[in-house]
Amino acid sequence: MFDLLKFACNIADKAGCQFADARYLEIRKQRVVSRDLALSSCSDRDDRGFGVRVLYRGAWGFASSPTYSADEIEKVVALAIRIARASALALREDGVNWAPEPALSLDFKSSCKYNPFTVTLEDKADLLISANEIMLKNKTVKRAQGFLSFKQVKRWYANTEGAELYSDVTSSESAIWAIAVGNEDFQERNWKAPATNQGFECYQKEEFVKQAERVAAEAEEKLSARLSPEGEFDIITDSENLSLTIHESVGHATELDRVMGYEVSMAGSSFVTRDKQREFQYGSDQVTLMADNTLENGLATQGFDDDGVPGQRWEIVRDGIFQTYSSGREFAHYIGEERSRGSCRADHWSSIPIVRIPNLFLMPGKTPLSPEELMADVGHGIYFEGMDSFSIDQWRLNFQFGGNAVWEIKNGRKAGMLKAALYQSRTPTFWNACDATCDENYWQSHGITNCGKGDPMQVAQMTHGAAPTRFRNIRICRGRDS
Amino acid sequence: MNRQQAQDLIESILEIPREGELQVLLNGVHRLGTRFNDCAISQNVLRQQTTLTLSARLEQKKTSLSINTLDDQALIKRSIEQAFAFCRHMPDDEEVMPAPGEVLESHEYAYSTESEAIEIETVGAWAAEACRAGAAADIDLAGLLAHGKTFSAYGDSAGGFAYEGSHRSDYHVTATGNNGSGWAEHQGVTIGQDNVMTATRSAIEKCARAQHPEVFEPRPVTVILEPQAVGDLMAMAFWYGFDQRARDEGRSAFSDYDATLGHQSFYSDPADPVFPTVSFSSGGQALVRTVWLESGKLQQLLTSRYWASKNNLAVKPAPNNLVLTGDGTPLEELVRSTDDGILVTRFWYIRPTDARTLGFTGMTRDGTYRIENGEVTHPVVDMRWNESVLKVLDHVVASGKPVATGEFMAMAMPALKIEDFHFTSLSN
């Protein structure tokens, strides 16, 4: 596979390109969807092709093709250079400052005990439909659904610096959900099985059945929940809920390309300007947020990024103080760093790499603390579990999140479910209101598989994690008028 | 791939021996995307690919398989065999429907001869000209200029066939000054340098008027939404709320809901002159003008072939565009008739907050202004809002003329003047 990629790099080099890289990808995807007692769809996709990126006279060009042959390689390299010439019509004054990286030869394979593509469709149907059967036993549940989604990406990468990198990453994702109808309302409750760089081994029928019972019962309970109060309350988030808040208010906010204005017209910029590095009080001293693209089974753990830089681990926030950003080779120099953080990824062979959120998580508390103890210190508060409505402004400051299930807390205990509760805050206000997070025994990870960024939009995946965490005096509002 | 090439390929695929019904879909794209920021081109890409999707049906079982290698007949044959092998293992689903088997007329409403001539260098030159305009105004300019053509071809073993080529242009640009930003777009089936420069100048002008925004304490107030904001909101409302089956099963904001939603009409029409689209669905069904709301009264909801047959309803497949009517009031007049209000250029990050009431939240961005006594007086800090679309439509008091908008879906939307719109918190 590397021969044609090196051929592409050689052509680009001879044509005078300052840098070029070529990626060939073989992508296999399968998605099985259940609706009540049937599978509503099973779709399989085989997608392969290559992309060539060139830096020619200070301008970028990129072209791609599904036809992997020497003739096509020559055409695509020529096309990429032609596109770079068009880019040169509006050159960046200070040019492209490309961070150096040793030319590595590296193979990476994610853990996969049971190849999901060889598991029979009957076994997949059994998992999903068994869960649906359980959920439908609850008479308020009028619709039970679920899906299993698998992806395997084989990636070959070469560049004009001599790198030869290969990865083979299998990821799996699943969820089930129930929609209950009654009391002149309808409510949805879900359970997300692990989304992870693993195979079918992470899904067991017993767990699906157990979760299905809980999901159906809580969907029914949501129907008779009272509308959330409004005002300021202490809140507790479970690890899944906080994972999305970490993603939106820390992950995107600390992407260096956003900070430098490269995403202004679509995804937006960031309030975390460069002057804040190593000074800004992002959160309380309880808040240490770690990036780790070597995290075992993390969705962003892929061996190396699409700039050819190996996965790394670094602190985004340490004891509340902002440290540094996620970056790619084009961006490291903007903050005086000599090396990229290796967090530049493309979602397809026909896409250009952009800075993406790494695996990113809130470190667990250093002293023993259980969820019960965490809640015991709340007089009147609200507990958010799972992911629901989420929205944040283009500076990653003003945000509003819901929960898939929300409970009122009174005198340190759960005191009934709430409907339409939303917490609304500004990023530094929120993280500085964090006064405790549970210890490592309660830390869990959650995969995000639909992170949209770029223009045209690209979709990336990464893993977040946290233990149940408490925030004081957070504004609560409602998504429904009383 | 032209019509004849697509038809020949589909026919050759349908001639391959197989054990059941086969539907074949070809989707091809050739699209340039030139992205710039800080008045310089930062990304420039060409995406070209054709995807072949094979849907196999055996009685009440159905699966699909996609590949993007089309020049290997042996691979296509293996893929068909694989699709049917999967199909045999599927449990029965009573909702599986046979292929429609219809031969559809090729309208090509969204095909533009003019667009065929747009080359890589043309797009680069237009983007560079926009960048120069930004630099001349001493403003950071960032945006995307994308242009491309697509084709869709459908065939099935029941004799169905459809083919259409189309074009799509998307230019959106953000102008950022020291303390505020402005935004504009051009959407449609074609684009020229004049469109690019008109949008660029508009973004720069909006940016100039957006500097040093003041705080407007969030409260319910009359709002004038420009077309992008209206389109973003209506598209979310449509895909989250306009489903017949969900309504019939009590899972929709429209379940047991009979009130009129203001006075606008809301429809889809592939032949819409403002933003035309391909006139058939990925399932080989013809798309025709479909009215969802007529003068605010609910007329139709999305209805699958299965649900239609079970309940004796008309099939209403998912459309390729959305159109909201307007009364044609110029934006200046909408402002002049407003004593106390907010003018919104653009919405961002709209997400549902409550399915039962079709409630959403979102932010304003890139040009939000205070209206006092019929005049735009100053820019204001961006705000979050929480609102029910049912209420929003009911509170429309005036509207503009529909214009093309929508990066992710073709839409023709007017500006809307809406009373009692709930802003809830401040942004930056």
Side-chain angles (χ1 to χ4, degrees):
Chain A
M1 282 296 178
F2 282 114
D3 287 350
L4 285 178
L5 297 181
K6 289 197 282 186
F7 177 55
C9 293
N10 286 338
I11 299 171
D13 193 43
K14 283 180 185 163
C17 292
Q18 298 155 263
F19 172 84
D21 59 12
R23 279 179 296 126
Y24 174 76
L25 266 66
E26 290 180 0
I27 305 166
R28 175 141 190 224
K29 291 182 181 176
Q30 186 180 72
R31 189 173 176 87
V32 181
V33 183
S34 66
R35 179 208 337 102
D36 298 336
L37 301 181
L39 292 186
S40 57
S41 73
C42 169
S43 55
D44 216 83
R45 184 181 176 94
D46 183 287
D47 182 355
R48 50 190 71 195
F50 71 98
V52 175
R53 176 173 61 162
V54 301
L55 181 60
Y56 181 78
R57 297 182 185 173
W60 287 112
F62 178 86
S64 59
S65 169
T67 306
Y68 195 52
S69 67
D71 285 350
E72 189 71 1
I73 291 266
E74 286 191 78
K75 284 183 204 164
V76 167
V77 174
L79 197 51
I81 292 172
R82 185 180 158 199
I83 291 170
R85 285 199 174 101
S87 301
L89 294 169
L91 268 181
R92 195 167 298 280
E93 272 180 21
D94 50 356
V96 173
N97 196 333
W98 194 240
E101 188 66 27
L104 296 177
S105 180
L106 191 144
D107 272 17
F108 174 81
K109 191 172 190 321
S110 68
S111 165
C112 179
K113 288 181 189 161
Y114 300 118
N115 182 347
F117 296 100
T118 61
V119 173
T120 66
L121 195 53
E122 283 89 344
D123 284 347
K124 292 165 184 165
D126 183 45
L127 199 65
L128 293 173
I129 293 175
S130 297
N132 286 1
E133 273 180 335
I134 298 289
M135 291 190 280
L136 289 167
K137 280 182 183 170
N138 184 311
K139 293 304 171 197
T140 67
V141 173
K142 301 303 180 192
R143 169 56 56 88
Q145 287 181 277
F147 74 84
L148 286 160
S149 188
F150 307 104
K151 182 163 76 169
Q152 182 183 26
V153 180
K154 293 180 180 175
R155 179 177 55 143
W156 290 261
Y157 173 95
N159 64 26
T160 46
E161 296 162 338
E164 286 184 31
L165 310 169
Y166 171 72
S167 65
D168 178 352
V169 174
T170 299
S171 55
S172 304
E173 182 188 13
S174 181
I176 56 170
W177 62 98
I179 301 174
V181 178
N183 287 352
E184 297 183 339
D185 201 357
F186 59 95
Q187 292 287 335
E188 181 263 350
R189 179 74 173 118
N190 65 43
W191 172 66
K192 289 177 180 163
T196 171
N197 276 358
Q198 287 179 282
F200 202 76
E201 65 273 13
C202 50
Y203 303 130
Q204 279 87 38
K205 186 174 174 181
E206 298 73 26
E207 184 65 15
F208 274 65
V209 167
K210 183 178 126 191
Q211 295 292 347
E213 286 173 355
R214 181 181 64 84
V215 161
E218 291 181 356
E220 180 183 9
E221 192 181 349
K222 281 177 80 171
L223 290 174
S224 53
R226 72 181 186 92
L227 270 181
S228 171
E230 295 188 292
E232 284 200 356
F233 294 89
D234 295 344
I235 71 166
I236 290 177
T237 57
D238 83 331
S239 58
E240 183 183 335
N241 184 278
L242 194 58
S243 287
L244 187 56
T245 310
I246 291 169
H247 179 90
E248 301 290 357
S249 69
V250 183
H252 280 307
T254 55
E255 292 166 330
L256 188 51
D257 60 339
R258 295 179 67 110
V259 176
M260 298 311 302
Y262 282 67
E263 292 288 331
V264 160
S265 68
M266 180 51 65
S269 58
S270 171
F271 77 96
V272 192
T273 46
R274 286 179 292 172
D275 56 307
K276 293 184 170 64
Q277 214 177 356
R278 297 186 178 83
E279 290 188 4
F280 181 63
Q281 190 80 43
Y282 211 106
S284 71
D285 60 6
Q286 299 294 308
V287 177
T288 291
L289 289 146
M290 185 69 76
D292 189 355
N293 281 342
T294 66
L295 180 73
E296 188 177 11
N297 304 328
L299 289 169
T301 304
Q302 298 177 1
F304 55 92
D305 73 354
D306 290 318
D307 280 351
V309 181
Q312 298 163 44
R313 177 182 165 100
W314 70 99
E315 288 171 325
I316 300 275
V317 174
R318 182 199 303 151
D319 299 331
I321 305 295
F322 171 62
Q323 299 298 308
T324 195
Y325 301 92
S326 305
S327 66
R329 295 179 69 179
E330 187 174 355
F331 301 97
H333 75 96
Y334 285 121
I335 50 171
E337 293 190 354
E338 291 183 356
R339 191 185 187 207
S340 157
R341 296 285 172 177
S343 207
C344 220
R345 309 195 292 279
D347 71 347
H348 196 249
W349 50 263
S350 66
S351 299
I352 202 162
I354 56 176
V355 176
R356 302 307 307 229
I357 300 175
N359 300 317
L360 173 64
F361 45 90
L362 178 68
M363 294 293 282
K366 292 168 186 163
T367 53
L369 184 68
S370 71
E372 292 76 21
E373 290 167 320
L374 188 75
M375 197 174 285
D377 196 15
V378 174
H380 189 192
I382 295 180
Y383 171 58
F384 288 85
E385 192 170 287
M387 298 176 187
D388 201 74
S389 181
F390 57 103
S391 173
I392 189 165
D393 71 18
Q394 80 270 28
W395 297 285
R396 301 282 145 177
L397 265 175
N398 177 309
F399 65 70
Q400 181 176 288
F401 293 88
N404 190 247
V406 182
W407 284 265
E408 192 165 22
I409 303 169
K410 280 188 177 170
N411 301 320
R413 292 185 175 190
K414 277 191 194 174
M417 229 178 210
L418 297 173
K419 240 179 231 182
L422 302 160
Y423 60 96
Q424 198 268 306
S425 190
R426 287 161 59 87
T427 296
T429 309
F430 181 78
W431 286 105
N432 277 286
C434 173
D435 78 334
T437 184
C438 292
D439 67 56
E440 61 187 355
N441 294 308
Y442 305 97
W443 189 94
Q444 289 182 340
S445 65
H446 295 274
I448 300 272
T449 57
N450 58 350
C451 171
K453 185 186 168 188
D455 201 5
M457 177 78 77
Q458 295 188 42
V459 178
Q461 56 187 39
M462 64 287 296
T463 293
H464 301 302
T469 302
R470 188 173 61 215
F471 301 84
R472 300 291 191 185
N473 300 320
I474 301 298
R475 182 182 175 197
I476 298 295
C477 53
R478 277 199 293 260
R480 180 186 294 189
D481 288 340
S482 51
Chain B
M1 203 176 281
N2 63 30
R3 180 187 174 94
Q4 193 58 54
Q5 290 167 325
Q7 190 160 10
D8 288 348
L9 178 57
I10 287 174
E11 283 175 359
S12 73
I13 292 169
L14 289 170
E15 282 169 6
I16 295 171
R18 60 180 188 275
E19 54 189 299
E21 182 186 88
L22 189 65
Q23 290 174 273
V24 181
L25 181 68
L26 282 167
N27 280 314
V29 62
H30 178 102
R31 190 167 177 82
L32 284 161
T34 301
R35 199 174 188 204
F36 53 93
N37 78 294
D38 203 7
C39 300
I41 292 173
S42 54
Q43 290 181 17
N44 210 353
V45 303
L46 173 65
R47 175 172 287 183
Q48 43 189 356
Q49 182 178 20
T50 300
T51 302
L52 166 65
T53 302
L54 304 158
S55 296
R57 183 175 77 90
L58 292 167
E59 301 297 335
Q60 293 309 116
K61 304 171 189 290
K62 190 174 182 181
T63 57
S64 73
L65 190 149
S66 299
I67 57 173
N68 68 339
T69 307
L70 307 184
D71 53 0
D72 183 344
Q73 195 71 3
L75 174 66
I76 292 174
K77 184 170 181 295
R78 282 200 307 278
S79 299
I80 292 172
E81 290 166 356
Q82 181 68 58
F84 279 101
F86 279 140
C87 203
R88 279 194 299 274
H89 294 279
M90 286 285 280
D92 280 354
D93 178 8
E94 66 166 325
E95 299 188 18
V96 167
M97 301 293 286
E102 294 174 40
V103 176
L104 304 176
E105 189 180 346
S106 183
H107 296 290
E108 305 218 316
Y109 298 123
Y111 184 86
S112 159
T113 311
E114 190 185 341
S115 285
E116 282 288 312
I118 297 174
E119 294 278 355
I120 291 164
E121 291 76 9
T122 321
V123 171
W126 292 347
E129 182 65 19
C131 287
R132 280 192 287 277
D138 196 22
I139 268 173
D140 281 353
L141 213 64
L144 172 77
L145 206 175
H147 176 75
K149 57 184 173 183
T150 61
F151 79 89
S152 298
Y154 170 89
D156 63 44
S157 53
F161 181 77
Y163 175 93
E164 275 189 30
S166 65
H167 290 90
R168 178 78 158 87
S169 302
D170 168 13
Y171 178 60
H172 51 264
V173 57
T174 304
T176 306
N178 290 330
N179 200 347
S181 57
W183 180 89
E185 67 175 340
H186 170 83
Q187 302 288 342
V189 298
T190 192
I191 190 166
Q193 187 169 17
D194 54 336
N195 304 124
V196 172
M197 293 314 296
T198 299
T200 302
R201 283 190 290 270
S202 174
I204 291 171
E205 188 269 332
K206 283 219 166 220
C207 173
R209 288 198 288 128
Q211 298 305 303
H212 307 292
E214 299 175 16
V215 167
F216 172 81
E217 286 301 331
R219 61 174 166 86
V221 69
T222 297
V223 69
I224 296 171
L225 304 182
E226 292 199 22
Q228 187 278 348
V230 176
D232 257 21
L233 185 59
M234 291 307 296
M236 292 295 275
F238 183 78
W239 294 114
Y240 275 93
F242 282 60
D243 183 80
Q244 183 67 44
R245 183 175 186 171
R247 183 196 198 201
D248 295 344
E249 293 180 343
R251 299 182 283 110
S252 161
F254 293 113
S255 302
D256 305 318
Y257 189 92
D258 209 22
T260 300
L261 301 170
H263 60 273
Q264 313 289 121
S265 291
F266 186 41
Y267 62 92
S268 298
D269 184 359
D272 180 71
V274 176
F275 212 152
T277 60
V278 170
S279 67
F280 64 90
S281 74
S282 59
Q285 298 164 269
L287 296 176
V288 296
R289 181 183 166 93
T290 305
V291 178
W292 313 107
L293 297 172
E294 178 78 54
S295 301
K297 184 73 181 167
L298 191 62
Q299 303 292 308
Q300 320 271 356
L301 292 167
L302 292 169
T303 310
S304 69
R305 294 174 65 215
Y306 165 75
W307 197 247
S309 68
K310 186 175 179 180
N311 297 283
N312 199 24
L313 299 167
V315 178
K316 298 294 170 192
N320 287 335
N321 66 357
L322 294 171
V323 182
L324 188 69
T325 58
D327 57 31
T329 307
L331 186 65
E332 297 73 20
E333 182 53 37
L334 295 177
V335 170
R336 213 169 4 249
S337 62
T338 304
D339 288 335
D340 174 24
I342 298 291
L343 172 64
V344 172
T345 298
R346 185 183 184 192
F347 274 164
W348 162 249
Y349 224 128
I350 301 176
R351 288 292 181 275
T353 56
D354 182 47
R356 186 71 184 90
T357 57
L358 219 48
F360 292 91
T361 189
M363 303 294 306
T364 68
R365 69 180 284 188
D366 300 324
T368 308
Y369 308 94
R370 181 80 169 103
I371 304 170
E372 293 169 300
N373 303 316
E375 288 185 6
V376 174
T377 53
H378 56 265
V380 296
V381 170
D382 284 309
M383 289 179 282
R384 174 172 298 288
W385 51 269
N386 286 317
E387 263 302 358
S388 155
V389 168
L390 305 179
K391 201 199 95 183
V392 165
L393 288 172
D394 202 38
H395 284 208
V396 173
V397 292
S399 53
K401 177 183 164 189
V403 299
T405 187
E407 189 195 356
F408 300 108
M409 183 183 191
M411 290 184 280
M413 295 283 150
L416 294 180
K417 179 176 169 181
I418 302 156
E419 290 182 337
D420 192 31
F421 189 85
H422 280 226
F423 289 108
T424 59
S425 59
L426 289 168
S427 182
N428 195 3

